[in-house]
Amino acid sequence: MLNQSELNLTPSPFSAARRQVIQAGGLIASSLAAPAIWAAKAPIKVGVMLPASGTYAPLGQAIRRGLELALMGSGNKWGGRPVDWVFVDDESKPAQAAEKAARLLTRDRVDLLIGSVHSGVALAMAKLARDRNKVLLVPNAGANALTRESCAPQIFRTSFSNWQTIVPIGKLMRDRGIKRAAFLTWKYTAGLEYSEGFREGFERHGGEVVLDLSLPFPSLEFTPLLTQIAAAQPDAVCCFFSGSGAAKFLIDYAQAGLKAKIPLYVTGHVTEGILHTLPGAEAQGVVSVLHYADGLPHAEDKQFRSAFETTFGQPPDVFAVQGYDTGLVLSKALSTTQGDTQTDGLMKAMEGLEIASPRGRWKMSKAHNPIQDIYIREVQGQRNVFKGIAAKALADPATGCSLA
Ligand code: BEZ
């Protein structure tokens, strides 16, 4: 796996833009010498839509770094070809997503697409990828439909379905004696699926959801909802938020005096990548479930964390792992196709892939979603500490997917 000196990782990597310039220069020189080789070794163009602004910007940056680290780990080439990234800020705005993705295909002539964080953006990209017969790798967005009723041969997810990362918390909470819970979230595809998934997992084990609250994405006006929770006095609160909005939620929850009275159990997206931004102990002791944790026993995780910290000067989070795994999937598939990005061959090369990931080994399901372990974690200091396994090799049900 990754070894910094063997794999030629530099402590402070070139920016993506600088790498593109260097690769282009190399190509000009080789094109004069040997046109046939130039054609075979021309860069692969990868169009990447991620949020670089707004509440999900930290997630977008972590995914981008994970992708870049994976490429560095294979000597800056996949399938023997250098890679030219074309990064686009999708601003987590679904209404603009189809147009931005279409521009990547038509104007920038990218060979394949990666994106995005926000479920609504990814759903728009997936429709386009299907219609234009281009491969799309989804490095975060959990919209269940992507690998259920809207699954397609061209769409591969390297992250999770929203269902996978909430349902296991119901049993965990019931095992800890919680009977009545409130749920709150942002009102859009992902939030609504988290709300449904929470109800499914909690009620299946005899729990009762006494309040189900939401606010528009990406509003930070949590106070009226917290007032309702204080009045309802549930045994616990569960929620889905992420990025800088999640940090604001944790601060508001503590400032409302609720942290000391009503325990928080969350999908791990809430406490990933933001703990260092909190002013005090707002997240301490918060319990969550997710497909990654700090302190996992896998050798791949130790090597990945060390390379990531050396390269970027910060510890990685789950989003960085997902970006990295997206790179591992592409690296494997493109080495099978010997750098050919033609859609049919690439799709075939990604079918059933097994990835030795920092999160633990996972397998691409028939519906193109990871079959993976879901961990129990607890915030201690600035870490989401690994506490055990909530669900082993959990596969999304893939309901309505014609591939499964
Ligand atoms: C989503 O929109 O699917 C999503 C966004 C952030 C974290 C997890 C899921």
Side-chain angles (χ1 to χ4, degrees), residues 56 59 117-119 140-143 160 162 188 190 194 240 242 269 319:
Y56 287 160
L59 287 65
V117 165
H118 185 288
S119 274
N140 183 74
F160 57 89
N162 290 327
Y188 79 100
Y194 278 106
F240 162 74
S242 201
H269 305 290
F319 309 108

Side-chain angles (χ1 to χ4, degrees), residues 55-302:
T55 198
Y56 287 160
L59 287 65
Q61 184 191 53
I63 291 169
R64 177 174 174 158
R65 287 176 165 179
L67 276 170
E68 291 180 341
L69 191 66
L71 180 60
M72 285 182 237
S74 26
N76 287 318
K77 284 189 178 165
W78 283 334
R81 297 172 64 185
V83 173
D84 276 357
W85 303 111
V86 185
F87 286 102
V88 171
D89 177 8
D90 63 44
E91 302 170 62
S92 297
K93 289 186 176 156
Q96 302 172 5
E99 194 184 323
K100 285 184 176 178
R103 212 177 300 142
L104 280 171
L105 293 179
T106 308
R107 185 191 68 188
D108 300 312
R109 306 183 71 79
V110 300
D111 297 302
L112 59 113
L113 291 167
I114 296 177
S116 182
V117 165
H118 185 288
S119 274
V121 172
L123 285 164
M125 292 182 78
K127 180 173 180 333
L128 188 84
R130 252 188 336 264
D131 293 351
R132 301 274 196 98
N133 193 30
K134 284 285 178 189
V135 163
L136 167 68
L137 288 107
V138 181
N140 183 74
N144 292 331
L146 287 170
T147 54
R148 292 190 184 176
E149 65 273 19
S150 304
C151 77
Q154 300 86 352
I155 298 160
F156 291 80
R157 179 153 52 195
T158 53
S159 51
F160 57 89
S161 73
N162 290 327
W163 181 92
Q164 280 177 305
T165 51
I166 190 67
V167 166
I169 209 165
K171 178 171 185 321
L172 176 74
M173 289 171 67
R174 288 293 297 123
D175 287 349
R176 295 183 179 201
I178 292 155
K179 292 190 186 125
R180 300 168 69 253
F183 191 84
L184 72 161
T185 188
W186 280 314
K187 194 171 189 167
Y188 79 100
T189 306
L192 298 174
E193 289 179 352
Y194 278 106
S195 161
E196 259 175 42
F198 176 67
R199 186 178 290 278
E200 179 187 329
F202 192 53
E203 289 185 351
R204 186 193 298 162
H205 295 279
E208 185 193 353
V209 181
V210 293
L211 260 189
D212 195 350
L213 303 173
S214 60
L215 70 170
F217 174 85
S219 168
L220 303 177
E221 299 301 319
F222 301 115
T223 308
L225 308 189
L226 296 178
T227 307
Q228 290 185 60
I229 287 172
Q233 298 191 345
D235 300 334
V237 167
C238 187
C239 69
F240 162 74
F241 298 108
S242 201
S244 46
K248 168 77 164 48
F249 171 77
L250 291 166
I251 293 168
D252 286 5
Y253 195 78
Q255 278 180 356
L258 294 176
K259 183 172 188 306
K261 293 186 195 139
I262 309 177
L264 261 182
Y265 287 81
V266 300
T267 165
H269 305 290
V270 177
T271 53
E272 281 289 311
I274 49 98
L275 294 176
H276 63 287
T277 69
L278 297 174
E282 294 83 358
Q284 295 310 301
V286 172
V287 173
S288 61
V289 295
L290 202 64
H291 52 293
Y292 189 58
D294 294 317
L296 289 177
H298 318 119
E300 288 84 0
D301 191 45
K302 292 185 179 42

Side-chain angles (χ1 to χ4, degrees), residues 1 156 300 325 328-333 336 348-357 360-365 369-371:
M1 271 291 293
F156 291 80
E300 288 84 0
D325 285 5
L328 295 187
V329 166
L330 272 178
S331 172
K332 279 197 169 202
T336 304
K348 205 163 157 226
M350 289 196 283
E351 290 291 341
L353 267 184
E354 286 199 32
I355 298 295
S357 161
R361 283 193 89 80
W362 63 264
K363 187 173 165 42
M364 191 70 83
S365 73
N369 189 64
I371 302 171

